Amino acid sequence: MNIVFMGTPEFAVPSLKKIVEKYNVCAVYTQPDRPKGRGNKVTMSFVKEEALKHDIPVYQPVKIKNDRECIDVLRKINPDFIIVVAFGQILPKEILDIPKMGCINLHASLLPKYRGAAPINWAIINGETKTGNTTMLMDVGLDTGDMLLRSEIEITDTMTAGELHDILMIDGSNLLVETIEKLRNGEVTPQKQNDEDSCYASMLSKDTARINWALSSIEINNLIRGLNPWPIAYTQYENNLMKIYQSEIIDYKTPNKPGTILKVGKSGIEVSTGNGILLVKSIQFPGGKPLRVEEYVKGHEIKEGVILV
């Protein structure tokens, strides 16, 4: 079988590796090289790095729907499948109609829930206890195509978005190969999504990451887990930005104003919330590195009574 793979971030790499092992990958489409990091060094995508290891031709359209050369290449390849994993661009109907057996997309949620850009993060932020991967036949909508296979993953109370990402990344690569095999052998029936059950996982922003201490300790703890390792939840401590990497819920309540630092000790910083206490365990200030509170307070003071905003 001839396959074209479209993907960009680290999440897509195990899927590309699995498909290269089993099938003939004729081309890889990924996002253009872009400046990255403090030095703005132009960097290729994770998927491009992997493709070059296997000497697979790589195409990097700025907007694939407007790139006639890239579309013509697809027509010449005449692939059996186009496989899409976090490519980062919406494919027009013209491209969706090219492969003989369809375009398969791997999405990191239990569709129709959490369509969109950040399903892993929002599943944790919203306090879900399970999520998973879904493969689907793509249509012109955003994650609205007919579902093929799904796999479920438990979200534990302490799991971060980074940890869940790594689990789903491997699980998804296996599900994708299983989907290709079952679809080509007629062993799976596409199932329509129920739009009434859908919700949207919007892109993360700096506003998403700012902690509202009027929320409950459970909600804030979920936010901190869901934004680790990026973009990291933050608050203001005496006009300094304080990022919070790890926290824990404490059951007892307090009449203090939400955001008040109640106690600072080796175990962390106890902060009042709209409902309950949050124990902040790992923090970072500008110019410094992430540290456990136990380490940070050896050389710096965190004052009790200060209100975080």
Side-chain angles (χ1 to χ4, degrees):
M1 284 206 310
N2 291 331
I3 286 180
V4 170
F5 187 90
M6 297 184 179
T8 299
E10 183 183 14
F11 185 86
V13 171
S15 294
L16 177 57
K17 285 181 177 179
K18 283 271 186 183
I19 291 170
V20 167
E21 287 173 7
K22 292 185 69 72
Y23 311 108
N24 179 36
V25 179
C26 302
V28 163
Y29 284 64
T30 189
Q31 295 277 42
D33 299 351
R34 291 200 169 100
K36 192 176 181 181
R38 292 183 178 178
N40 275 333
K41 183 181 178 181
V42 176
T43 306
M44 67 180 73
S45 73
F46 285 96
V47 164
K48 181 178 178 180
E49 285 184 12
E50 185 63 29
L52 293 178
K53 292 176 186 176
H54 303 280
D55 296 321
I56 302 170
V58 176
Y59 300 89
Q60 297 177 270
V62 175
K63 285 190 177 180
I64 194 168
K65 66 179 182 180
N66 299 330
D67 195 317
R68 296 314 312 173
E69 181 184 352
C70 283
I71 294 173
D72 289 343
V73 168
L74 284 173
R75 292 193 185 282
K76 288 176 184 176
I77 292 172
N78 191 25
D80 295 282
F81 286 109
I82 292 177
I83 305 298
V84 182
V85 184
F87 176 42
Q89 297 188 37
I90 293 176
L91 303 186
K93 189 173 186 303
E94 180 182 9
I95 290 177
L96 297 177
D97 289 342
I98 289 174
K100 301 168 194 170
M101 301 186 72
C103 291
I104 301 175
N105 177 233
L106 171 68
H107 186 72
S109 81
L110 296 175
L111 290 172
K113 295 186 74 172
Y114 300 108
R115 296 170 177 169
I120 296 173
N121 307 87
W122 284 106
I124 293 179
I125 292 169
N126 289 341
E128 302 285 358
T129 57
K130 69 175 182 180
T131 186
N133 283 300
T134 306
T135 52
M136 65 179 146
L137 285 173
M138 295 178 69
D139 61 17
V140 292
L142 181 61
D143 302 325
T144 56
D146 291 354
M147 298 180 293
L148 297 169
L149 296 180
R150 301 206 304 177
S151 59
E152 291 189 1
I153 299 293
E154 179 188 0
I155 302 176
T156 66
D157 291 340
T158 59
M159 189 179 284
T160 65
E163 291 165 345
L164 181 56
H165 168 280
D166 292 351
I167 293 169
L168 289 169
M169 178 171 67
I170 302 303
D171 175 80
S173 67
N174 295 322
L175 187 69
L176 198 47
V177 170
E178 182 184 356
T179 301
I180 293 169
E181 286 302 305
K182 287 189 173 179
L183 195 60
R184 72 189 292 209
N185 294 324
E187 296 172 357
V188 60
T189 302
Q191 179 183 349
K192 295 241 176 251
Q193 295 187 42
N194 184 354
D195 291 340
E196 292 181 1
D197 294 335
S198 70
C199 61
Y200 184 66
S202 59
M203 291 182 69
L204 303 174
S205 68
K206 193 172 181 181
D207 289 338
T208 310
R210 182 159 197 153
I211 295 172
N212 176 5
W213 293 101
L215 297 175
S216 71
S217 57
I218 293 173
E219 290 171 302
I220 297 170
N221 186 59
N222 289 343
L223 180 74
I224 291 166
R225 293 191 300 121
L227 299 181
N228 182 347
W230 186 89
I232 302 297
Y234 72 94
T235 188
Q236 294 284 333
Y237 171 83
E238 292 192 324
N239 296 319
N240 291 311
L241 186 143
M242 181 171 79
K243 291 184 176 181
I244 300 177
Y245 284 75
Q246 187 183 14
S247 60
E248 186 180 301
I249 299 162
I250 299 178
D251 287 337
Y252 70 83
K253 297 183 180 181
T254 173
N256 293 78
K257 182 177 178 179
T260 303
I261 296 177
L262 305 173
K263 183 180 177 182
V264 181
K266 285 188 176 181
S267 59
I269 305 165
E270 294 184 18
V271 184
S272 61
T273 72
N275 185 4
I277 310 296
L278 190 75
L279 180 67
V280 175
K281 300 175 74 173
S282 180
I283 59 176
Q284 180 185 23
F285 282 97
K289 60 183 180 181
L291 291 171
R292 293 187 66 80
V293 169
E294 178 183 3
E295 294 297 318
Y296 183 82
V297 295
K298 288 179 180 178
H300 306 84
E301 183 184 16
I302 297 286
K303 301 173 188 172
E304 295 178 1
V306 170
I307 297 175
L308 303 174
V309 293

